[in-house]
Amino acid sequence: MTSPKPLPTRDKVFVWAGIAFVLVLSCGLSSSLIAEGVGSRRALAHGPVGTLAPNDRKCGDSSCAWVGTFASADGTVTEEDVVLKGERARRNGPMPATIDDVRLDDEATRPTAYAADYNWLGPVAKGSLLSLVGLVIAGFLLVVLKRHRSAAVSP
């Protein structure tokens, strides 16, 4: 078995840039997913309970979410342009008059409400898995770099 050839400086810089890119990307995306999960758990445990009166739907590539006005059950909290997570909206489906039993995350930077059956563990698990995948890819790139470095040192 032949040992690998030493990497040129340009390729070493490329591998180090790849390691940095993978780590920054995985840390950023995983922390945003975990923050969403923690925020939804906080809202489901302590947020004000109320209803959402949808007036629009916000659609992405694969799913849609209701956007509307949140009003707490006791009438003390009213928030406009609240995005509801956990209640599926269909692209061409009818818009309900109100959606009951939702909880508002009043500590979020963007107003977000969560349906009572929203599973907050999903984003936390996805974020944790994403950070683990990023570490594995970065570790693999480090092993490749070390393997080529040791080939350059050995006779």
Side-chain angles (χ1 to χ4, degrees), residues 54-140:
N55 52 23
D56 194 12
R57 74 186 95 214
K58 183 180 186 181
C59 292
D61 291 337
S62 61
S63 65
C64 295
W66 295 116
V67 178
T69 303
F70 174 85
S72 64
D74 60 2
T76 58
V77 178
T78 303
E79 189 76 43
E80 305 254 339
D81 295 325
V82 176
V83 177
L84 178 64
K85 294 190 177 189
E87 182 78 24
R88 293 282 181 194
R90 295 195 175 116
R91 285 189 194 277
N92 299 324
M95 186 177 299
T98 60
I99 301 170
D100 298 325
D101 198 22
V102 298
R103 292 189 178 258
L104 180 68
D105 185 4
D106 50 3
E107 295 180 24
T109 56
R110 291 183 0 208
T112 307
Y114 297 92
D117 61 349
Y118 183 79
N119 184 5
W120 62 271
L121 286 173
V124 172
K126 289 176 187 174
S128 301
L129 183 63
L130 184 62
S131 65
L132 183 64
V133 166
L135 287 173
V136 167
I137 291 172
F140 173 75

Side-chain angles (χ1 to χ4, degrees), residues 4-55:
K5 294 180 182 178
L7 286 175
T9 304
R10 179 189 56 164
D11 291 347
K12 288 178 189 175
V13 169
F14 181 73
V15 171
W16 280 110
I19 291 169
F21 177 75
V22 165
L23 289 175
V24 167
L25 185 69
S26 67
C27 285
L29 292 176
S30 65
S31 64
S32 68
L33 282 170
I34 291 171
E36 179 188 334
V38 170
S40 64
R41 184 183 184 289
R42 180 184 58 238
L44 290 170
H46 305 293
V49 179
T51 60
L52 183 84
N55 52 23

